Amino acid sequence: MAGTTRPIDARGWIFEVEDAEATADTWLPVAGLNTFTINPGENEETADVTAFEDEGMYSQDVMQRGATLAIAGQYRIDKTSKAQDPGQAYIDTVWTNLVGMESQGRIRYRHSTQTKWAIWTATVTPGEQGGGTNEKTTWGATFTRCGAPTVADVVVTP
């Protein structure tokens, strides 16, 4: 049926990071975002398998898959307490300070129309922060997937 599919709004995407310090399964929404980019081909590696019998036509095998997710927006604080948004604060003060085996954490994302989360084990690189005289302070982070992604059902709690 032509015309029944429609594009989805970018503002409908939801991003959450797992609080590895919490005793229970705790996911922290990341607020203040106004842009994201998922690059499903980042860190891909291939091997040339072209042989004489290919008669001059190139051939390759993918040897490694990878992906990155960059999120960015505005640095957010609570108007009353002045505390940074919990999701941003976890990324800035906990996750980005971890190294070695501890540097891997989890992020999940989905569109508001979807019933499953995409979940990555990833490392995080903090983004630049800044702004000019009449601007809001920027904030961002880039996640590099480690291993295969997984999925989980969206659980709605009343």
Side-chain angles (χ1 to χ4, degrees), residues 6-47:
R6 299 284 302 148
I8 59 176
D9 295 338
R11 72 175 57 107
W13 286 92
I14 304 162
F15 300 89
E16 298 181 348
V17 292
E18 184 179 36
D19 183 348
E21 295 183 326
T23 55
D25 188 28
T26 304
W27 290 90
L28 305 170
V30 182
L33 302 178
N34 57 29
T35 186
F36 74 96
T37 303
I38 298 171
N39 183 344
E42 187 72 24
N43 298 317
E44 182 178 275
E45 295 290 337
T46 61

Side-chain angles (χ1 to χ4, degrees), residues 16-103:
E16 298 181 348
V17 292
E18 184 179 36
D19 183 348
E21 295 183 326
T23 55
D25 188 28
T26 304
W27 290 90
L28 305 170
V30 182
L33 302 178
N34 57 29
T35 186
F36 74 96
T37 303
I38 298 171
N39 183 344
E42 187 72 24
N43 298 317
E44 182 178 275
E45 295 290 337
T46 61
D48 182 342
V49 295
T50 308
F52 292 155
E53 60 267 19
D54 293 325
E55 299 177 354
M57 295 294 125
Y58 180 77
S59 186
Q60 73 175 19
D61 288 340
V62 175
M63 302 304 291
Q64 172 180 295
R65 298 278 186 194
T68 57
L69 164 64
I71 57 176
Q74 300 164 341
Y75 189 100
R76 289 289 173 102
I77 62 167
D78 180 274
K79 289 188 329 184
T80 304
S81 69
K82 307 299 186 238
Q84 185 181 12
D85 166 71
Q88 288 184 4
Y90 181 81
I91 292 166
D92 286 350
T93 63
V94 178
W95 198 349
T96 60
N97 292 317
L98 301 174
V99 296
M101 292 186 301
E102 283 76 35
S103 66

Side-chain angles (χ1 to χ4, degrees), residues 83-135:
Q84 185 181 12
D85 166 71
Q88 288 184 4
Y90 181 81
I91 292 166
D92 286 350
T93 63
V94 178
W95 198 349
T96 60
N97 292 317
L98 301 174
V99 296
M101 292 186 301
E102 283 76 35
S103 66
Q104 293 185 11
R106 293 198 312 163
I107 183 168
R108 69 182 183 180
Y109 63 92
R110 69 179 179 92
H111 192 268
S112 60
T113 61
Q114 296 173 330
T115 60
K116 296 211 180 276
W117 290 102
I119 303 173
W120 291 8
T121 297
T123 58
V124 66
T125 303
E128 294 179 353
Q129 295 178 6
T133 302
N134 295 316
E135 299 172 340

